Every structure is written in structure tokens, then in C-alpha cells.
Amino acid sequence: MSTKKQFNSFEEMLSGSDVPVLVDFYAEWCGPCRMMATILEQVNAQLQGRIRVVKIDTEKYPQLANDYQIYALPTLVLFKQGKPVERIEGVLQSSDLMQRLESLI
């Protein structure tokens, strides 16, 4: 899951993806965010090739957090064809997150 890629813009990354993109808006200091990181690794492994997981540090990219109205951490936003289709705030168990994502991807 820790593949790092460079994009000219967030929008370019979203629109250039051939699979839905699950964006994890987080902060380093956020305890629940660290819990969610492990869960996201499990979900990413189970949905390999069907979804792309991207982590956005809201401290480094405050404008993106503002643009997508991120007020709670962690917040997950699922994008399909560059558009947000689902928003999940807080920590979910792996099975619960899988169930929500399966119906959307």
C-alpha cells in the first residue's frame, strides 16, 4: 500500500485512475488515523486491483482538506470517475468497511 507516486494535481490523480480511489484524509498526530491505517492495509489487500487507496495528510495539504470539507479525522472519501460518491468519518472495522465498499465499487 505504500507506493508513492507524484501527480501534478489531486484532480489529475483522480481522473487518471481506472479504478475507484479511496482517499484517507488523516494527520500524523491522530490516534484513530493510525488505527485506520492498519485496517486500510487489510482492505487494500482484499480489494487489490479493484480499488486504489491514497493517503492525504491534512497538515501538509490543508487546501485539499478544506476543498472536501474534512472536519473530522480520519475521513475516507471514495471517488469514482473523479467524483466523490461516499464519505466515511471515524474508524470502522475492516469487515464493515469492506461491506460498504463492496456495494459501491
Side-chain angles (χ1 to χ4, degrees):
M1 187 171 111
S2 60
T3 304
K4 293 195 176 194
K5 293 184 180 179
Q6 294 283 31
F7 294 92
N8 291 328
S9 72
F10 184 68
E11 290 74 20
E12 175 189 321
M13 184 268 305
L14 291 175
S15 64
S17 179
D18 51 351
V19 295
V21 178
L22 182 63
V23 179
D24 174 23
F25 289 95
Y26 77 101
E28 292 290 331
W29 50 262
C30 170
C33 297
R34 289 192 291 274
M35 290 171 47
M36 201 67 211
T38 303
I39 294 164
L40 285 172
E41 286 177 15
Q42 295 169 1
V43 168
N44 189 50
Q46 291 179 321
L47 295 175
Q48 193 71 38
R50 295 177 53 206
I51 195 170
R52 175 177 292 143
V53 177
V54 174
K55 297 179 72 59
I56 300 290
D57 185 338
T58 57
E59 299 285 303
K60 292 181 181 169
Y61 300 97
Q63 188 57 51
L64 270 180
N66 188 53
D67 291 349
Y68 289 97
Q69 301 174 346
I70 306 302
Y71 302 123
L73 295 176
T75 294
L76 305 176
V77 180
L78 182 68
F79 291 86
K80 286 176 82 173
Q81 299 167 339
K83 305 282 187 240
V85 296
E86 180 73 8
R87 180 186 193 96
I88 301 166
E89 293 181 348
V91 176
L92 284 181
Q93 294 304 314
S94 173
S95 58
D96 295 335
L97 181 55
M98 284 290 299
Q99 188 174 16
R100 286 186 70 172
L101 293 175
E102 284 281 357
S103 66
L104 295 165
I105 59 172

